[in-house]
Amino acid sequence: MTRRPYGLVCRISHACEFLEPRWTIQILTELWNGSTRFNDIRKRVGNVSSALLSRRLKDMEALGLVERVEDGATGAICYFRT
């Protein structure tokens, strides 16, 4: 069963369904502040584990909140807000 704590009453309530998981707002804030690399985000967010950060970034990518870009020459991966 899909959990819908806020329902779809308004756009803000709808956005809360995506932004509710722990650390999501902090990760987005770091992206807004210019952090693009995984380790930079992890260091600046604080006590988030690497596994959880990776999962949140994948979830946000699937929702269209962030874009994952890989540099073909160096293999570096950056995340950008959409």
Side-chain angles (χ1 to χ4, degrees):
M1 184 166 122
T2 303
R3 187 177 78 123
R4 294 189 178 198
Y6 299 107
L8 299 175
V9 177
C10 68
R11 292 180 182 189
I12 293 172
S13 297
H14 186 66
C16 287
E17 291 183 18
F18 300 114
L19 300 176
E20 181 183 24
R22 188 173 184 195
W23 299 108
T24 302
I25 296 294
Q26 292 91 332
I27 294 166
L28 285 174
T29 300
E30 282 310 314
L31 290 168
W32 287 324
N33 287 331
S35 297
T36 59
R37 305 289 302 270
F38 183 88
N39 283 332
D40 293 337
I41 296 168
R42 188 172 59 88
K43 288 176 189 173
R44 297 185 82 183
V45 166
N47 294 327
V48 65
S49 70
S50 295
L52 183 58
L53 177 57
S54 177
R55 187 172 349 138
R56 289 290 181 262
L57 287 169
K58 287 178 184 176
D59 291 345
M60 288 190 284
E61 183 181 7
L63 292 169
L65 297 173
V66 298
E67 181 180 0
R68 181 180 186 267
V69 177
E70 183 175 352
D71 183 358
T74 64
I77 296 172
C78 294
Y79 295 91
F80 297 99
R81 57 189 166 82
T82 57

